[in-house]
Amino acid sequence: MITLGLETSCDETSAAVVSDGKTILSNVIYSQMVHSRFGGVVPELAGREHIKKIIPILDEALSEADLTLDQIDCFAATFGPGLVGALLVGLSMAKSLAYFNNKPFCAVNHLEGHIFANRLSKPDMDDRFVTLLVSGGHTMLVDVDGWGHYEILGKTLDDAAGEAFDKVAKLLDLGYPGGPAIDREARTGDPDRFKFPRALPGDRLDFSYSGLKTAVALQVQKLPPDQLLSDKSDLAASFQEAVVDSLCRKTMLALKKTGRKTVALSGGVAANSRLREKLQLICDRQSVRLVYPPSELCTDNAAMIAAVADFQVAQNGPSDLNANAIPYQKLF
Ligand SMILES: Nc1ncnc2c1ncn2[C@@H]1O[C@H](COP(=O)(O)OP(=O)(O)OP(=O)(O)O)[C@@H](O)[C@H]1O
Ligand SMILES: [Mg+2]
């Protein structure tokens, strides 16, 4: 089955064509730059940008895949979670295309999309695993007992890890989006220079990042402005190490609890180089397989949406055309 996926839940306009849920024929991603001067996503602007870009991006995805609309077997889009005005653009487009072309439509959960990015990049992976889903809006450990069967083991009590990266980058004047900027800045910094807190040190599988964010803010306030410049990379590295430490520790606890032998990283923060490096070292020591998608499949993209749709339509059939956008949709 050839699926056309659309993703417009936040500030990426993306269209992709995927064959049999596993082979990416095209995956065009447009990251909206209009938000950078505000230091965060402005929902109204995101919706307007999606409207401007959705047709050109869709055309580009079809032409890269060397296909025409009548060769598409299924039209899919993210229905939630996300910004309602943004979600509605991709969702309305996919429903209209399905209706006019008399083809199935599939409404896809964005979080399930992040998990399926692993299936796209490693089709041979075990379908029973633990995934650490770390994105701009979510931080959770999920036990996957076969694709489509999820149990949430733990989640953040306050901020998401990606949100903490973005806010600390703003404090350090590193620009938006903050995750990749901190990742880069931290490469030349000393991760042991500042002792930032690791929240919830016990055995529970939840996370918390608001205290860490405040600790960085207090440290920044203490420094004279000229010293902030010279300490920026140490601050970035010490903050990143605190996040990565807690993510790795809780992930290994989740593996112990479930007895799983594979761990998959999902979501935008899965692109973080230190998280990949440190978790790989720990997994190697414990003979656990670590998988993660290439960076462009970690952050928002439509290929992961098409991959879920292929699976969902085969399991449960198409979605109803009156499916609506659900901004606070949970994983299940
Ligand atoms: N290299 C990196 N290191 C750390 N964080 C990163 C990196 N690359 C991207 N991120 C972070 O990933 C987040 C974006 O990920 P993603 O696109 O999955 O989130 P989202 O779609 O906004 O949220 P959600 O998926 O929860 O709805 C941002 O917070 C960004 O800073
Ligand atoms: Mg996302």
Side-chain angles (χ1 to χ4, degrees), residues 23 35 45 51 70 82-84 86 92 95 118 129 139-140 169-170 195 222 228 234 237 253 257 278 280 284 327:
T23 310
H35 310 286
L45 293 181
I51 290 171
D70 57 310
L83 304 168
V84 70
S92 311
K95 288 199 281 189
N118 284 289
F129 59 96
T139 298
M140 51 170 90
K170 204 169 171 181
K195 301 280 173 255
K222 271 195 237 160
L228 176 59
D234 290 347
L253 274 174
K257 190 173 165 186
K278 185 157 187 163
Q280 188 70 66
D284 286 349

Side-chain angles (χ1 to χ4, degrees), residues 7 9-10 110-111 114 135-137 267-268 298-300 304:
E7 158 59 43
S9 68
C10 192
H110 179 81
L111 301 177
H114 279 306
S135 59
C298 289
T299 42
D300 291 351
M304 68 185 195

